Amino acid sequence: MTYEIEDSLIVPGTPEDVYALLSDVTRTGEWSQQCYRCAWDDDARGVGARFTGWNRTPEREWHTTSEVVADVPGERFAWSVGPGRAEWGYRMERAEGAGEPRTLLTEYTRTTPLFETTFAERYGERAEEEMATRRKAAEAGIPATLEAIRRVLAGE
């Protein structure tokens, strides 16, 4: 029951500006639908750097450790949760058009077979139900997160 989900939105700013915002994981709580706080685990940055995210929904609260797996200024920032269970990330492309600089921002997530194994071990017979809950949250959360990022970049 692995899945891949993505959505895109045109946001204000250059791809480099958007990358600078999104690669500062300490600001994630400003736009994330679940993660209210993030902190780097040490001074390392770039691919291989690790950070902890604190998350909450109305049903539960938890934290995760993630590892940066892609770090290309102005193009892509992504991390592996677990690591190895799911990947989340952003892709940035310059949006064509007149006027102020704009970026086509894509947020995506994809799960791995390790995600399924972990959920089977953790939730037993409820594993598929729990995975479906996570998928539904991502399907609703990605567009809402993109809109929240747009508002932050627009200074709203």
Side-chain angles (χ1 to χ4, degrees):
M1 192 165 161
T2 61
Y3 57 82
E4 294 186 28
I5 302 166
E6 71 175 48
D7 199 2
S8 300
L9 182 68
I10 293 180
V11 298
T14 66
E16 293 76 17
D17 293 337
V18 175
Y19 164 84
L21 175 70
L22 299 176
S23 63
D24 180 358
V25 301
T26 65
R27 295 191 64 187
T28 302
E30 295 177 43
W31 54 79
S32 176
Q33 303 305 295
Q34 292 185 354
C35 183
Y36 64 89
R37 180 175 163 235
C38 266
W40 293 104
D41 290 354
D42 56 35
D43 291 335
R45 299 294 181 272
V47 173
R50 288 178 172 252
F51 60 92
T52 299
W54 288 265
N55 310 282
R56 73 169 65 107
T57 65
E59 297 79 29
R60 67 192 193 101
E61 192 162 332
W62 72 102
H63 70 279
T64 59
T65 299
S66 296
E67 182 175 315
V68 176
V69 295
D71 188 18
V72 182
E75 293 181 23
R76 188 166 173 229
F77 184 74
W79 59 97
S80 178
V81 181
R85 294 191 306 254
E87 182 177 315
W88 285 83
Y90 299 102
R91 293 188 301 271
M92 299 128 234
E93 298 176 41
R94 191 169 308 279
E96 298 301 320
E100 298 295 317
R102 300 179 310 149
T103 296
L104 176 64
L105 176 62
T106 300
E107 181 179 8
Y108 68 90
T109 186
R110 64 174 162 250
T111 60
T112 69
L114 181 57
F115 175 80
E116 288 182 288
T117 301
T118 300
F119 272 60
E121 291 169 357
R122 186 175 295 161
Y123 298 106
E125 292 179 9
R126 292 186 18 252
E128 284 192 30
E129 176 186 339
E130 291 290 335
M131 288 186 289
T133 298
R134 302 314 186 276
R135 180 182 183 133
K136 189 184 254 185
E139 288 170 341
I142 287 174
T145 297
L146 288 169
E147 176 56 27
I149 291 166
R150 186 202 63 74
R151 287 193 308 270
V152 170
L153 287 162
E156 295 177 8

